[in-house]
Amino acid sequence: MSSNKPLISSSLEPAWRSAGLRYYAYNFALRQRFSHRVQKVSIDAGFTCPNVDGTVAKGGCTFCDNRSFSPSRRLPRAGILGQIDQSIARLRLRYKNCNHFLAYFQPASNTYAPVDVLRPLFETALAHPQVVGLAIGTRSDCVPDNVLDLLEELAERTYLSVEFGMQTIHNRSLEWMNRGHYHDSFLDAVQRSRGRGFEICAHAILGLPGENHADMLATARELARVDIDAVKLHNLYCVKNTKLAEQVAAGEVTLMGRNDYVRTLVDFLERVPPTMVVERISGDAPPDYFLGPSWCLDKQGVKTAIEGEFERRDSWQGKRYTLR
Ligand code: SF4
């Protein structure tokens, strides 16, 4: 099943509130659209990143363990269909009755190639009988117009979400993380993506060093102003083999505590529109790879705390959103 209907409900009273939710959770949005559970299956299509291979910079973002996709270390992976089958088999252990999946092109920058390389990768995933759509993670400086034309064409026949790693609107923070682009790059990508039939999702990180509470809420207000379709939020967390790991070990960076994160996240969601799908509210990594903070490995605990904070305030996503 596929279509190009947007996930966003046009109802004045959001359906997610009628369903007793405090924010527009992604699994709820997917159920609205597909009428059944849909899970993402991650695909590593062998991309690298211009922030790693030297095109923009070397070394990548300070929090990213990019050794695994640096050009010299790229290992052959199972084919696209093989990866989908393997991921579905794993997910079936948990979601026995789930039969519909989004192929999620996840590691590195998944539009960082010419169109004639990208097209067969995306078409192959779509040809899997249980794949009902695509999610593609990328950087805002990796979407030239001919790539956007391809994504628009795909979105005419399937659900497609394009995820841009925005991270923050503050250029000093983007410099700190060695992002290799500034906020104007994100705005440019959104402006050129708009109206092409796919969902525009932004990743944002809370708890970046040098950002105070007001700075983080400024990012929320900017996302509301730009009016993207979806957001993925998580705290800054630390994995092995990264520059961030060295900075944390040296005491140069302090990672956000859980209570601070929960309060800030709720403040953030109160300021974005109720139509913005919230694809993620916390982050984690495989335990053998993860360094901290340890609280974010308890995803259910974080989710419960966020819902509890909304309830304590008798609040919800968009409560403090104002049209400007
Ligand atoms: S842009 Fe993404 S893939 Fe590239 S280094 Fe940064 S986090 Fe890693």
Side-chain angles (χ1 to χ4, degrees), residues 181-220:
H181 66 67
Y182 290 113
H183 185 53
D184 60 356
S185 169
F186 171 76
L187 294 175
D188 170 63
V190 170
Q191 188 264 327
R192 289 183 299 107
S193 297
R194 216 185 277 291
R196 289 181 178 265
F198 56 81
E199 284 187 9
I200 302 170
C201 176
H203 292 203
I205 300 175
L206 302 182
L208 292 168
E211 289 199 10
N212 61 24
H213 190 253
D215 293 328
M216 291 182 262
L217 296 195
T219 292

mmCIF file of all heavy atoms in Angstrom, residues 181-220:
data_model
loop_
_atom_site.group_PDB
_atom_site.id
_atom_site.type_symbol
_atom_site.label_atom_id
_atom_site.label_comp_id
_atom_site.label_asym_id
_atom_site.label_seq_id
_atom_site.Cartn_x
_atom_site.Cartn_y
_atom_site.Cartn_z
ATOM 1 N N HIS A 181 28.280 22.855 7.671
ATOM 2 C CA HIS A 181 27.337 23.783 7.039
ATOM 3 C C HIS A 181 26.680 24.623 8.124
ATOM 4 O O HIS A 181 26.750 24.286 9.321
ATOM 5 C CB HIS A 181 26.290 23.075 6.172
ATOM 6 C CG HIS A 181 25.322 22.201 6.915
ATOM 7 N ND1 HIS A 181 24.377 22.693 7.791
ATOM 8 C CD2 HIS A 181 25.149 20.850 6.911
ATOM 9 C CE1 HIS A 181 23.665 21.691 8.285
ATOM 10 N NE2 HIS A 181 24.127 20.558 7.778
ATOM 11 N N TYR A 182 26.054 25.685 7.692
ATOM 12 C CA TYR A 182 25.368 26.571 8.631
ATOM 13 C C TYR A 182 23.859 26.439 8.456
ATOM 14 O O TYR A 182 23.376 25.727 7.574
ATOM 15 C CB TYR A 182 25.830 28.020 8.426
ATOM 16 C CG TYR A 182 27.259 28.230 8.865
ATOM 17 C CD1 TYR A 182 28.255 28.527 7.939
ATOM 18 C CD2 TYR A 182 27.614 28.105 10.205
ATOM 19 C CE1 TYR A 182 29.567 28.712 8.344
ATOM 20 C CE2 TYR A 182 28.926 28.289 10.619
ATOM 21 C CZ TYR A 182 29.896 28.586 9.683
ATOM 22 O OH TYR A 182 31.198 28.757 10.088
ATOM 23 N N HIS A 183 23.137 27.178 9.284
ATOM 24 C CA HIS A 183 21.678 27.049 9.267
ATOM 25 C C HIS A 183 21.086 27.473 7.922
ATOM 26 O O HIS A 183 20.050 26.947 7.505
ATOM 27 C CB HIS A 183 21.080 27.878 10.405
ATOM 28 C CG HIS A 183 19.600 27.716 10.542
ATOM 29 N ND1 HIS A 183 18.990 26.483 10.649
ATOM 30 C CD2 HIS A 183 18.597 28.647 10.556
ATOM 31 C CE1 HIS A 183 17.677 26.659 10.720
ATOM 32 N NE2 HIS A 183 17.414 27.944 10.670
ATOM 33 N N ASP A 184 21.745 28.395 7.234
ATOM 34 C CA ASP A 184 21.172 28.821 5.950
ATOM 35 C C ASP A 184 21.124 27.672 4.947
ATOM 36 O O ASP A 184 20.269 27.647 4.058
ATOM 37 C CB ASP A 184 21.908 30.042 5.380
ATOM 38 C CG ASP A 184 23.394 29.789 5.137
ATOM 39 O OD1 ASP A 184 23.887 28.701 5.483
ATOM 40 O OD2 ASP A 184 24.056 30.700 4.601
ATOM 41 N N SER A 185 21.996 26.698 5.103
ATOM 42 C CA SER A 185 21.962 25.524 4.221
ATOM 43 C C SER A 185 20.673 24.728 4.445
ATOM 44 O O SER A 185 20.020 24.293 3.483
ATOM 45 C CB SER A 185 23.176 24.631 4.499
ATOM 46 O OG SER A 185 23.055 23.390 3.858
ATOM 47 N N PHE A 186 20.291 24.557 5.705
ATOM 48 C CA PHE A 186 19.034 23.861 6.018
ATOM 49 C C PHE A 186 17.845 24.624 5.432
ATOM 50 O O PHE A 186 16.953 24.037 4.796
ATOM 51 C CB PHE A 186 18.894 23.707 7.535
ATOM 52 C CG PHE A 186 17.549 23.201 7.975
ATOM 53 C CD1 PHE A 186 17.206 21.862 7.830
ATOM 54 C CD2 PHE A 186 16.611 24.074 8.526
ATOM 55 C CE1 PHE A 186 15.957 21.398 8.221
ATOM 56 C CE2 PHE A 186 15.363 23.619 8.925
ATOM 57 C CZ PHE A 186 15.038 22.275 8.769
ATOM 58 N N LEU A 187 17.842 25.942 5.621
ATOM 59 C CA LEU A 187 16.719 26.736 5.107
ATOM 60 C C LEU A 187 16.621 26.636 3.584
ATOM 61 O O LEU A 187 15.526 26.526 3.026
ATOM 62 C CB LEU A 187 16.876 28.206 5.531
ATOM 63 C CG LEU A 187 16.767 28.468 7.035
ATOM 64 C CD1 LEU A 187 17.058 29.935 7.330
ATOM 65 C CD2 LEU A 187 15.382 28.077 7.557
ATOM 66 N N ASP A 188 17.764 26.631 2.937
ATOM 67 C CA ASP A 188 17.788 26.513 1.481
ATOM 68 C C ASP A 188 17.220 25.149 1.038
ATOM 69 O O ASP A 188 16.402 25.080 0.107
ATOM 70 C CB ASP A 188 19.230 26.667 0.985
ATOM 71 C CG ASP A 188 19.375 26.310 -0.470
ATOM 72 O OD1 ASP A 188 18.760 26.995 -1.310
ATOM 73 O OD2 ASP A 188 20.080 25.328 -0.784
ATOM 74 N N ALA A 189 17.636 24.089 1.725
ATOM 75 C CA ALA A 189 17.147 22.752 1.350
ATOM 76 C C ALA A 189 15.635 22.647 1.561
ATOM 77 O O ALA A 189 14.915 22.070 0.729
ATOM 78 C CB ALA A 189 17.872 21.677 2.166
ATOM 79 N N VAL A 190 15.151 23.200 2.664
ATOM 80 C CA VAL A 190 13.712 23.145 2.933
ATOM 81 C C VAL A 190 12.948 23.937 1.871
ATOM 82 O O VAL A 190 11.930 23.476 1.341
ATOM 83 C CB VAL A 190 13.402 23.684 4.352
ATOM 84 C CG1 VAL A 190 11.902 23.871 4.542
ATOM 85 C CG2 VAL A 190 13.956 22.736 5.406
ATOM 86 N N GLN A 191 13.461 25.092 1.562
ATOM 87 C CA GLN A 191 12.767 25.939 0.582
ATOM 88 C C GLN A 191 12.682 25.243 -0.784
ATOM 89 O O GLN A 191 11.646 25.271 -1.455
ATOM 90 C CB GLN A 191 13.511 27.282 0.486
ATOM 91 C CG GLN A 191 12.841 28.348 -0.329
ATOM 92 C CD GLN A 191 13.370 28.387 -1.750
ATOM 93 O OE1 GLN A 191 14.545 28.118 -1.984
ATOM 94 N NE2 GLN A 191 12.511 28.689 -2.692
ATOM 95 N N ARG A 192 13.755 24.534 -1.173
ATOM 96 C CA ARG A 192 13.754 23.847 -2.467
ATOM 97 C C ARG A 192 12.989 22.523 -2.421
ATOM 98 O O ARG A 192 12.626 21.976 -3.460
ATOM 99 C CB ARG A 192 15.199 23.629 -2.947
ATOM 100 C CG ARG A 192 15.874 24.939 -3.380
ATOM 101 C CD ARG A 192 17.284 24.725 -3.931
ATOM 102 N NE ARG A 192 18.197 24.148 -2.962
ATOM 103 C CZ ARG A 192 18.628 22.906 -2.987
ATOM 104 N NH1 ARG A 192 18.238 22.080 -3.945
ATOM 105 N NH2 ARG A 192 19.443 22.458 -2.058
ATOM 106 N N SER A 193 12.778 21.996 -1.214
ATOM 107 C CA SER A 193 12.055 20.719 -1.066
ATOM 108 C C SER A 193 10.547 20.917 -0.984
ATOM 109 O O SER A 193 9.773 19.994 -1.269
ATOM 110 C CB SER A 193 12.507 20.000 0.217
ATOM 111 O OG SER A 193 13.866 19.667 0.163
ATOM 112 N N ARG A 194 10.155 22.078 -0.563
ATOM 113 C CA ARG A 194 8.739 22.322 -0.279
ATOM 114 C C ARG A 194 7.871 22.122 -1.526
ATOM 115 O O ARG A 194 8.272 22.460 -2.634
ATOM 116 C CB ARG A 194 8.562 23.756 0.228
ATOM 117 C CG ARG A 194 7.512 23.883 1.281
ATOM 118 C CD ARG A 194 7.305 25.317 1.655
ATOM 119 N NE ARG A 194 8.243 25.842 2.631
ATOM 120 C CZ ARG A 194 8.285 25.472 3.905
ATOM 121 N NH1 ARG A 194 7.495 24.538 4.362
ATOM 122 N NH2 ARG A 194 9.142 26.034 4.732
ATOM 123 N N GLY A 195 6.712 21.532 -1.326
ATOM 124 C CA GLY A 195 5.764 21.370 -2.421
ATOM 125 C C GLY A 195 6.088 20.214 -3.350
ATOM 126 O O GLY A 195 5.474 20.063 -4.406
ATOM 127 N N ARG A 196 7.041 19.384 -2.969
ATOM 128 C CA ARG A 196 7.428 18.275 -3.845
ATOM 129 C C ARG A 196 6.768 16.959 -3.440
ATOM 130 O O ARG A 196 7.089 15.909 -3.979
ATOM 131 C CB ARG A 196 8.951 18.124 -3.860
ATOM 132 C CG ARG A 196 9.666 19.257 -4.611
ATOM 133 C CD ARG A 196 11.161 19.013 -4.590
ATOM 134 N NE ARG A 196 11.937 20.001 -5.320
ATOM 135 C CZ ARG A 196 12.330 19.857 -6.596
ATOM 136 N NH1 ARG A 196 11.980 18.788 -7.281
ATOM 137 N NH2 ARG A 196 13.080 20.773 -7.160
ATOM 138 N N GLY A 197 5.899 16.983 -2.449
ATOM 139 C CA GLY A 197 5.090 15.807 -2.152
ATOM 140 C C GLY A 197 5.671 14.874 -1.104
ATOM 141 O O GLY A 197 5.008 13.933 -0.682
ATOM 142 N N PHE A 198 6.900 15.107 -0.673
ATOM 143 C CA PHE A 198 7.450 14.278 0.410
ATOM 144 C C PHE A 198 7.466 15.067 1.702
ATOM 145 O O PHE A 198 7.430 16.304 1.704
ATOM 146 C CB PHE A 198 8.846 13.734 0.052
ATOM 147 C CG PHE A 198 9.876 14.767 -0.319
ATOM 148 C CD1 PHE A 198 10.563 15.491 0.645
ATOM 149 C CD2 PHE A 198 10.178 15.003 -1.657
ATOM 150 C CE1 PHE A 198 11.525 16.422 0.294
ATOM 151 C CE2 PHE A 198 11.140 15.936 -2.023
ATOM 152 C CZ PHE A 198 11.812 16.655 -1.047
ATOM 153 N N GLU A 199 7.527 14.327 2.792
ATOM 154 C CA GLU A 199 7.581 14.978 4.095
ATOM 155 C C GLU A 199 8.983 15.477 4.369
ATOM 156 O O GLU A 199 9.969 14.830 4.038
ATOM 157 C CB GLU A 199 7.184 13.991 5.189
ATOM 158 C CG GLU A 199 5.703 13.754 5.216
ATOM 159 C CD GLU A 199 5.322 12.914 6.405
ATOM 160 O OE1 GLU A 199 6.162 12.659 7.279
ATOM 161 O OE2 GLU A 199 4.159 12.506 6.434
ATOM 162 N N ILE A 200 9.044 16.624 5.010
ATOM 163 C CA ILE A 200 10.328 17.207 5.391
ATOM 164 C C ILE A 200 10.457 17.074 6.905
ATOM 165 O O ILE A 200 9.647 17.603 7.657
ATOM 166 C CB ILE A 200 10.401 18.686 4.981
ATOM 167 C CG1 ILE A 200 10.185 18.829 3.468
ATOM 168 C CG2 ILE A 200 11.730 19.290 5.408
ATOM 169 C CD1 ILE A 200 10.003 20.263 3.007
ATOM 170 N N CYS A 201 11.477 16.349 7.307
ATOM 171 C CA CYS A 201 11.716 16.112 8.735
ATOM 172 C C CYS A 201 13.064 16.722 9.107
ATOM 173 O O CYS A 201 14.007 16.661 8.314
ATOM 174 C CB CYS A 201 11.713 14.612 9.010
ATOM 175 S SG CYS A 201 12.101 14.164 10.713
ATOM 176 N N ALA A 202 13.152 17.301 10.291
ATOM 177 C CA ALA A 202 14.429 17.851 10.773
ATOM 178 C C ALA A 202 14.852 17.130 12.044
ATOM 179 O O ALA A 202 14.029 16.869 12.922
ATOM 180 C CB ALA A 202 14.287 19.345 11.056
ATOM 181 N N HIS A 203 16.125 16.815 12.128
ATOM 182 C CA HIS A 203 16.699 16.316 13.384
ATOM 183 C C HIS A 203 17.173 17.516 14.201
ATOM 184 O O HIS A 203 17.796 18.429 13.639
ATOM 185 C CB HIS A 203 17.933 15.461 13.122
ATOM 186 C CG HIS A 203 17.656 14.170 12.436
ATOM 187 N ND1 HIS A 203 18.504 13.091 12.523
ATOM 188 C CD2 HIS A 203 16.620 13.778 11.671
ATOM 189 C CE1 HIS A 203 18.014 12.093 11.815
ATOM 190 N NE2 HIS A 203 16.873 12.474 11.288
ATOM 191 N N ALA A 204 16.918 17.486 15.489
ATOM 192 C CA ALA A 204 17.454 18.536 16.367
ATOM 193 C C ALA A 204 17.991 17.888 17.636
ATOM 194 O O ALA A 204 17.440 16.891 18.122
ATOM 195 C CB ALA A 204 16.383 19.567 16.700
ATOM 196 N N ILE A 205 19.061 18.464 18.161
ATOM 197 C CA ILE A 205 19.717 17.932 19.361
ATOM 198 C C ILE A 205 19.569 18.948 20.486
ATOM 199 O O ILE A 205 19.869 20.141 20.299
ATOM 200 C CB ILE A 205 21.212 17.661 19.104
ATOM 201 C CG1 ILE A 205 21.387 16.635 17.977
ATOM 202 C CG2 ILE A 205 21.894 17.160 20.375
ATOM 203 C CD1 ILE A 205 22.846 16.394 17.587
ATOM 204 N N LEU A 206 19.133 18.473 21.633
ATOM 205 C CA LEU A 206 19.068 19.321 22.828
ATOM 206 C C LEU A 206 20.289 19.029 23.704
ATOM 207 O O LEU A 206 20.765 17.899 23.749
ATOM 208 C CB LEU A 206 17.788 19.043 23.612
ATOM 209 C CG LEU A 206 16.472 19.240 22.846
ATOM 210 C CD1 LEU A 206 15.276 18.986 23.767
ATOM 211 C CD2 LEU A 206 16.396 20.645 22.250
ATOM 212 N N GLY A 207 20.744 20.069 24.402
ATOM 213 C CA GLY A 207 21.864 19.882 25.322
ATOM 214 C C GLY A 207 23.223 20.083 24.687
ATOM 215 O O GLY A 207 24.226 19.582 25.204
ATOM 216 N N LEU A 208 23.274 20.814 23.590
ATOM 217 C CA LEU A 208 24.582 21.099 22.990
ATOM 218 C C LEU A 208 25.345 22.064 23.895
ATOM 219 O O LEU A 208 24.752 23.009 24.435
ATOM 220 C CB LEU A 208 24.397 21.716 21.600
ATOM 221 C CG LEU A 208 23.827 20.764 20.544
ATOM 222 C CD1 LEU A 208 23.402 21.544 19.299
ATOM 223 C CD2 LEU A 208 24.838 19.678 20.177
ATOM 224 N N PRO A 209 26.653 21.872 24.048
ATOM 225 C CA PRO A 209 27.412 22.777 24.919
ATOM 226 C C PRO A 209 27.364 24.208 24.389
ATOM 227 O O PRO A 209 27.420 24.431 23.177
ATOM 228 C CB PRO A 209 28.844 22.207 24.852
ATOM 229 C CG PRO A 209 28.861 21.214 23.781
ATOM 230 C CD PRO A 209 27.468 20.806 23.452
ATOM 231 N N GLY A 210 27.171 25.129 25.283
ATOM 232 C CA GLY A 210 27.104 26.534 24.875
ATOM 233 C C GLY A 210 25.695 26.994 24.564
ATOM 234 O O GLY A 210 25.475 28.174 24.310
ATOM 235 N N GLU A 211 24.735 26.071 24.560
ATOM 236 C CA GLU A 211 23.346 26.478 24.322
ATOM 237 C C GLU A 211 22.585 26.474 25.641
ATOM 238 O O GLU A 211 22.550 25.453 26.342
ATOM 239 C CB GLU A 211 22.650 25.532 23.324
ATOM 240 C CG GLU A 211 23.169 25.704 21.920
ATOM 241 C CD GLU A 211 22.230 25.138 20.859
ATOM 242 O OE1 GLU A 211 21.077 24.775 21.184
ATOM 243 O OE2 GLU A 211 22.675 25.076 19.700
ATOM 244 N N ASN A 212 21.963 27.581 25.955
ATOM 245 C CA ASN A 212 21.133 27.622 27.149
ATOM 246 C C ASN A 212 19.677 27.315 26.776
ATOM 247 O O ASN A 212 19.348 27.067 25.613
ATOM 248 C CB ASN A 212 21.278 28.971 27.874
ATOM 249 C CG ASN A 212 20.840 30.135 26.997
ATOM 250 O OD1 ASN A 212 20.041 29.961 26.072
ATOM 251 N ND2 ASN A 212 21.363 31.321 27.284
ATOM 252 N N HIS A 213 18.830 27.350 27.766
ATOM 253 C CA HIS A 213 17.426 27.000 27.572
ATOM 254 C C HIS A 213 16.789 27.881 26.501
ATOM 255 O O HIS A 213 16.080 27.395 25.610
ATOM 256 C CB HIS A 213 16.716 27.154 28.923
ATOM 257 C CG HIS A 213 15.332 26.606 28.940
ATOM 258 N ND1 HIS A 213 14.216 27.424 28.945
ATOM 259 C CD2 HIS A 213 14.873 25.339 28.944
ATOM 260 C CE1 HIS A 213 13.135 26.670 28.958
ATOM 261 N NE2 HIS A 213 13.492 25.400 28.955
ATOM 262 N N ALA A 214 17.064 29.172 26.555
ATOM 263 C CA ALA A 214 16.477 30.103 25.571
ATOM 264 C C ALA A 214 16.959 29.773 24.164
ATOM 265 O O ALA A 214 16.197 29.870 23.189
ATOM 266 C CB ALA A 214 16.833 31.541 25.949
ATOM 267 N N ASP A 215 18.210 29.369 24.035
ATOM 268 C CA ASP A 215 18.742 29.004 22.710
ATOM 269 C C ASP A 215 17.982 27.811 22.142
ATOM 270 O O ASP A 215 17.650 27.766 20.956
ATOM 271 C CB ASP A 215 20.223 28.650 22.807
ATOM 272 C CG ASP A 215 21.098 29.843 23.157
ATOM 273 O OD1 ASP A 215 20.749 30.969 22.764
ATOM 274 O OD2 ASP A 215 22.130 29.629 23.822
ATOM 275 N N MET A 216 17.724 26.822 22.995
ATOM 276 C CA MET A 216 17.024 25.616 22.511
ATOM 277 C C MET A 216 15.582 25.940 22.118
ATOM 278 O O MET A 216 15.070 25.436 21.116
ATOM 279 C CB MET A 216 17.086 24.516 23.574
ATOM 280 C CG MET A 216 18.508 23.968 23.757
ATOM 281 S SD MET A 216 18.609 22.646 24.966
ATOM 282 C CE MET A 216 19.169 23.528 26.409
ATOM 283 N N LEU A 217 14.961 26.805 22.890
ATOM 284 C CA LEU A 217 13.586 27.181 22.531
ATOM 285 C C LEU A 217 13.561 28.052 21.275
ATOM 286 O O LEU A 217 12.577 28.030 20.521
ATOM 287 C CB LEU A 217 12.905 27.891 23.698
ATOM 288 C CG LEU A 217 12.718 27.023 24.946
ATOM 289 C CD1 LEU A 217 11.724 27.677 25.896
ATOM 290 C CD2 LEU A 217 12.273 25.614 24.605
ATOM 291 N N ALA A 218 14.639 28.766 21.023
ATOM 292 C CA ALA A 218 14.729 29.523 19.766
ATOM 293 C C ALA A 218 14.740 28.555 18.580
ATOM 294 O O ALA A 218 14.150 28.826 17.529
ATOM 295 C CB ALA A 218 15.977 30.401 19.767
ATOM 296 N N THR A 219 15.394 27.412 18.749
ATOM 297 C CA THR A 219 15.376 26.390 17.689
ATOM 298 C C THR A 219 13.944 25.881 17.485
ATOM 299 O O THR A 219 13.485 25.703 16.350
ATOM 300 C CB THR A 219 16.334 25.234 18.041
ATOM 301 O OG1 THR A 219 17.684 25.719 17.986
ATOM 302 C CG2 THR A 219 16.196 24.071 17.065
ATOM 303 N N ALA A 220 13.219 25.667 18.572
ATOM 304 C CA ALA A 220 11.819 25.227 18.448
ATOM 305 C C ALA A 220 10.987 26.249 17.687
ATOM 306 O O ALA A 220 10.219 25.903 16.779
ATOM 307 C CB ALA A 220 11.220 24.986 19.834
#
